[in-house]
Amino acid sequence: MNKPLRRIAIFCGLLILALLVRDNWLQYVSAEELRTHEKNRRVAIERYAAPRGNIVVDGKAITGSAKTSAGDLDYKRTYQDGAMWAPVTGYASQAYGATQLESIEDGILTGNDDRLFFRRTLDMITGKKKEGGNVVTTLNAEAQKKAFEGLGDKKGAVAAIDPETGAILALASTPSYDPSDFAGGSKDDADAWKRLTKDPNKPMLNRALRETYPPGSTFKVVTAAAALEHGLYTDPDEKTKTPLPWIMPGTTRPLKNEGNLPCKDATLMKALEVSCNTVFGKVGYNLGNDKMLETSEKFGFNEEQFVPVRSNASHFSDGMNDSQVALSSIGQFNTAATPLQMAMVASAVANDGKLMKPYMVSDLQAPNLDVVEKTDTEVLSQPLSEPNAQKLQSMMENVVENGTGRAAQIDGVTVGGKTGTAQHGLNNKEKPYAWFISYAKTDNGSPVAVAVVVEDSNAEREDTCGGCLAAPIAKDVMQAVLDSKE
């Protein structure tokens, strides 16, 4: 072979080799990514080729599917009481993808999950059309209804947990949206999407999981827990030797209480009852940043939670100076928490100090209702010893019996709680957030812990308080759970 022909042969050989390498790369490395890529139209066609499985609450489906008459997507998602359940379901839209449970459990709902392989194969042999499985939640329908209706036209959120298992019982967020409005691919769906995404009130924001608020005085429960756990005080009725006024260390600034409160030398019991900033600010300062941080993180702060939908990490800072630690210990400065996080705090206290991992999917079902996967309960941490948790329970129950949480009292039931009125904005000029965290307790244990935040309301600023706005909502949610246990 002469030299020119040899060069052409080598060049052709290299081209063939490159082609083989590329072909094998596509076949064995990139195939799965290309098959499931969001811009691959076949993915959407397959996803909506058959009715999706359902998301189930209390044995009833809160979702459905409807046959479409246009385009190449055969079915679209439908929702019952869509606005009430949106913080749980998320949405599945032909045009805008899916979120939350609709996205996380898409494989089960579409029937494409690998765990359904045998079922798909059997259906293929028998000629039966592919079906989606179901996602069974832990939600309590009546508690969710009370939470959603209680918030009404106010901006806010509610999270309720079963303290003994971590099962989420209610997860409401307002203002909300109906996922049915943009489930299809029509112009009306596009208009609804545009309207919702541009709404300044952010109705598509899941405030129960994704919004972090200053927790205000509800955080004093965490500070009280830290004081007991680190041995700063062993008896809730022990005098705290707190002067009034109390000057924050490193400053000439007295820490103010909300009104003329009996906070001088107050016990932890009394300080939580009337919500003394001075006592809990001094407790946080005496404990120091490291001990406050340690206890906060045992309650779940500074970590995202996955229920399985991701919740924002709540925040308690490290590296603060003494006055910043004091302010953070009463829920101000950098301290921020999601409603789920504060429900976890109340839940751990109610469960004798044991914090269970929150979750809202009970099990995943195949189309024939066989259980594919069941969620096992899991201990997340132990922020409090059992004796100290019971001391803190007596303090929170005193708040509802004699203090700022009276609006949450339920006849014949022991209720523990803590109010919060969280100031925010430049020079604290914005209308405060109204908080309430609580739990109910019966002879059979504590079936529910609740956190409520009302972000704003039609109430006047001086009438905005946790006991006024948030506690009645928490009471109704707790009552609904108690009624469902009878």
Side-chain angles (χ1 to χ4, degrees):
M1 182 181 294
N2 59 36
K3 192 172 183 179
L5 286 176
R6 188 164 61 248
R7 286 178 175 174
I8 290 171
I10 292 171
F11 178 70
C12 290
L14 289 174
L15 287 178
I16 291 170
L17 181 62
L19 185 62
L20 287 172
V21 169
R22 180 61 177 166
D23 182 59
N24 280 278
W25 178 267
L26 290 174
Q27 286 286 337
Y28 299 107
V29 179
S30 301
E32 183 64 17
E33 180 184 349
L34 293 170
R35 188 182 70 79
T36 58
H37 197 281
E38 61 180 10
K39 292 186 179 179
N40 182 350
R41 183 66 180 169
R42 292 183 179 179
V43 173
I45 292 173
E46 182 184 15
R47 176 176 290 137
Y48 295 104
R52 288 169 71 85
N54 283 312
I55 297 173
V56 177
V57 175
D58 284 346
K60 298 178 181 176
I62 58 172
T63 56
S65 294
K67 193 81 171 71
T68 57
S69 56
D72 53 3
L73 306 180
D74 293 338
Y75 289 87
K76 71 173 185 177
R77 197 52 146 165
T78 60
Y79 297 85
Q80 297 179 23
D81 297 319
M84 183 173 80
W85 291 112
V88 176
T89 60
Y91 60 79
S93 167
Q94 292 180 350
Y96 305 106
T99 61
Q100 300 190 180
L101 288 184
E102 290 279 29
S103 173
I104 292 168
E105 304 300 352
D106 187 67
I108 289 291
L109 293 167
T110 57
N112 290 329
D113 191 281
D114 289 343
R115 290 167 289 184
L116 303 178
F117 174 78
F118 178 75
R119 175 80 190 184
R120 286 201 304 272
T121 305
L122 197 63
D123 288 347
M124 191 165 56
I125 293 171
T126 60
K128 189 177 179 180
K129 286 187 176 180
K130 188 177 74 174
E131 294 179 278
N134 298 320
V135 177
V136 182
T137 73
T138 60
L139 277 293
N140 179 310
E142 194 60 28
Q144 180 77 6
K145 184 179 178 184
K146 292 295 182 184
F148 187 68
E149 290 180 349
L151 289 170
D153 60 358
K154 309 179 193 74
K155 195 183 294 183
V158 175
I161 297 176
D162 180 340
E164 295 179 6
T165 63
I168 293 176
L169 303 173
L171 201 69
S173 176
T174 55
S176 189
Y177 66 99
D178 188 344
S180 300
D181 290 345
F182 55 92
S186 69
K187 183 179 181 303
D188 288 345
D189 292 280
D191 290 344
W193 174 264
K194 187 176 179 181
R195 184 182 68 252
L196 288 166
T197 52
K198 289 190 174 182
D199 190 327
N201 289 317
K202 299 180 180 177
M204 297 180 73
L205 172 64
N206 187 338
R207 289 176 165 80
L209 299 180
R210 299 284 175 78
E211 188 71 304
T212 52
Y213 299 91
S217 294
T218 58
F219 190 79
K220 290 170 183 170
V221 173
V222 177
T223 304
L228 294 169
E229 278 298 292
H230 291 285
L232 183 64
Y233 301 103
T234 56
D235 184 350
D237 293 316
E238 179 184 350
K239 296 281 188 183
T240 58
K241 299 178 182 178
T242 306
L244 193 67
W246 180 67
I247 307 298
M248 289 194 293
T251 74
T252 57
R253 178 184 167 195
L255 186 58
K256 294 182 178 178
N257 292 311
E258 291 295 324
N260 184 24
L261 303 177
C263 296
K264 185 177 181 180
D265 292 337
T267 64
L268 286 181
M269 181 76 76
K270 190 67 177 178
L272 199 71
E273 176 190 319
V274 299
S275 202
C276 295
N277 290 338
T278 46
V279 172
F280 287 101
K282 181 173 174 289
V283 165
Y285 159 68
N286 288 339
L287 288 170
N289 201 156
D290 289 347
K291 291 177 180 175
M292 281 300 303
L293 181 64
E294 178 189 329
T295 300
S296 302
E297 291 187 341
K298 283 184 178 178
F299 275 106
F301 278 75
N302 294 337
E303 279 194 19
E304 294 177 336
Q305 307 297 329
F306 293 86
V307 296
V309 177
R310 181 182 64 81
S311 169
N312 279 1
S314 298
H315 187 69
F316 189 88
S317 291
D318 192 7
M320 294 185 285
N321 65 36
D322 291 341
S323 61
Q324 290 168 343
V325 172
L327 288 171
S328 296
S329 300
I330 59 171
Q332 298 183 14
F333 192 58
N334 280 345
T335 306
T338 62
L340 175 70
Q341 173 62 74
M342 295 315 295
M344 290 166 64
V345 169
S347 166
V349 175
N351 196 34
D352 287 342
K354 187 185 294 181
L355 177 60
M356 304 302 291
K357 183 178 179 180
Y359 66 101
M360 65 177 174
V361 174
S362 170
D363 47 64
L364 304 177
Q365 295 178 339
N368 63 354
L369 306 186
D370 285 348
V371 175
V372 173
E373 181 180 314
K374 189 171 184 62
T375 303
D376 294 324
T377 59
E378 184 180 340
V379 177
L380 192 63
S381 63
Q382 181 87 33
L384 281 162
S385 68
E386 184 173 336
N388 284 337
Q390 290 171 355
K391 291 174 186 175
L392 194 45
Q393 287 172 18
S394 68
M395 294 163 63
M396 292 180 68
E397 289 159 17
N398 181 55
V399 170
V400 174
E401 188 174 351
N402 302 306
T404 55
R406 290 188 183 91
Q409 292 177 353
I410 300 174
D411 289 343
V413 177
T414 301
V415 177
K418 180 68 191 84
T419 55
T421 306
Q423 297 174 332
H424 66 102
L426 185 63
N427 296 322
N428 291 331
K429 287 184 177 178
E430 298 292 331
K431 191 177 289 186
Y433 299 139
W435 275 93
F436 191 68
I437 64 172
S438 62
Y439 62 84
K441 195 166 65 178
T442 68
D443 293 340
N444 297 320
S446 177
V448 59
V450 186
V452 177
V453 61
V454 178
E455 194 172 324
D456 67 4
S457 72
N458 296 322
E460 296 297 326
R461 181 186 176 90
E462 56 270 22
D463 295 330
T464 302
C465 67
C468 314
L469 298 173
I473 301 172
K475 175 186 175 179
D476 288 346
V477 174
M478 290 188 290
Q479 185 73 67
V481 175
L482 291 167
D483 291 346
S484 70
K485 299 289 182 183
E486 291 180 351

